[in-house]
Amino acid sequence: MTDHLHLLGVRVDRVGGREALALMERFMQERGRDGPRQVVTINPEFVVQAQDDPSFRAVLNAADLNLADGVGIVWASHVVGAPVPERVAGVDAVERLAALAGRQGYRIYFLGGRPGVAEGAARTLAARDGPDLVAGAQAGSPAEEKAGILLEAIGAARADALLVAFGAPTQDGWIARHRPSLDVGLAMGVGGAFDFITGAVPRAPRPLQRLGLEWAFRLVRQPWRWRRQMTIPRFLALVALRRLTGHCGTYDTRVS
């Protein structure tokens, strides 16, 4: 599919936004009989969590497309000597996918978030890209006893793509567990993307995004996130330490 690097044991695919969108369209077109292709947005928090959770690391490395979501990932790819083309933020990937769906007639199912958020994101994107892109939307629940109902609803909707906002690692593990039963072409964990799309959580101004300071903007707006943001210094320290020992990451040009 594409060349990639392994960063602290986690695979990151070296693709930019356009290539990522082309791959996602291919996933929807192919609709494999063994379930959807899984797309993950890798940020420093994911990589740090994967150091302590082998099962989560296995889910990440088994995914079909791992996007570099986070300026820390971009920085670390340069440290390794295999720079990714650009950051591909999850919310940007969702908006590009919705625009493609509106143009080409694909249908997306929105799942997760607080009550009403998935529906709000679906309405916002439908108003911009056309109502036919929405196959369904609901908050749902990642609880296993609710999985059967969700899988039935998603299957009945005949969606091409599924966006899941249960938060990491829950969303990515949920997709991985239920891939054989999901009748969609691709499934992607999107974290807080629905909140950004609805405007419930504002994104940083473009200049701050370009400077890689979106995390700081979110911290000012949501100070309760400070515990989560503490993973960034740990990530940077791990990369620096392992760079010194020559074990930070590897660059692989084989097909993944």
Side-chain angles (χ1 to χ4, degrees):
M1 183 200 308
T2 182
D3 63 333
H4 57 268
L5 63 106
H6 283 92
L7 185 62
L8 301 176
V10 175
R11 198 190 85 245
V12 180
D13 294 308
R14 299 179 68 235
V15 298
R18 289 186 179 181
E19 186 178 359
L21 185 62
L23 287 168
M24 288 192 285
E25 181 172 23
R26 197 181 88 189
F27 295 163
M28 291 188 293
Q29 292 171 340
E30 291 177 347
R31 295 183 70 95
R33 287 181 293 180
D34 297 328
R37 303 288 187 90
Q38 183 169 3
V39 181
V40 177
T41 56
I42 304 288
N43 61 31
E45 187 177 346
F46 280 40
V47 176
V48 169
Q49 196 162 2
Q51 307 307 298
D52 305 320
D53 186 347
S55 63
F56 183 46
R57 183 168 65 246
V59 167
L60 299 181
N61 287 331
D64 298 281
L65 179 61
N66 286 346
L67 303 177
D69 179 2
V71 66
I73 300 297
V74 176
W75 171 81
S77 73
H78 284 267
V79 171
V80 173
V84 297
E86 61 182 332
R87 178 191 176 205
V88 184
V91 62
D92 293 331
V94 170
E95 292 187 332
R96 290 167 181 162
L97 181 64
L100 173 69
R103 293 193 304 270
Q104 302 296 339
Y106 299 113
R107 305 180 73 237
I108 302 172
Y109 200 102
F110 299 76
L111 174 64
R114 291 171 288 104
V117 173
E119 295 89 339
R123 286 194 299 271
T124 298
L125 293 174
R128 187 192 72 180
D129 300 311
D132 292 341
L133 71 86
V134 179
Q138 62 166 304
S141 167
E144 283 304 301
E145 61 268 24
K146 304 291 186 180
I149 297 173
L150 288 181
L151 294 171
E152 184 176 351
I154 294 165
R158 301 187 64 80
D160 298 293
L162 170 67
L163 304 178
V164 183
F166 287 151
T170 301
Q171 62 193 15
D172 307 288
W174 190 91
I175 291 170
R177 285 194 303 278
H178 298 292
R179 282 176 77 171
S181 303
L182 284 168
D183 185 19
V184 293
L186 77 85
M188 176 179 174
V190 297
F194 295 166
D195 286 321
F196 287 128
I197 290 168
T198 61
V201 176
R203 289 194 74 181
R206 288 289 182 183
L208 290 182
Q209 292 182 41
R210 287 193 291 268
L211 290 171
L213 294 174
E214 193 165 7
W215 63 271
F217 179 84
R218 291 193 69 183
L219 185 59
V220 171
R221 300 285 305 211
Q222 301 172 309
W224 56 265
R225 292 177 59 89
W226 73 269
R227 291 184 184 275
R228 294 180 60 181
Q229 297 291 359
M230 287 304 294
T231 60
I232 295 176
R234 184 183 173 193
F235 171 77
L236 298 176
L238 284 170
V239 170
L241 177 62
R242 299 198 189 181
R243 176 60 175 169
L244 290 174
T245 60
H247 298 292
C248 174
T250 59
Y251 172 44
D252 193 344
T253 58
R254 293 175 298 174
V255 172
S256 59

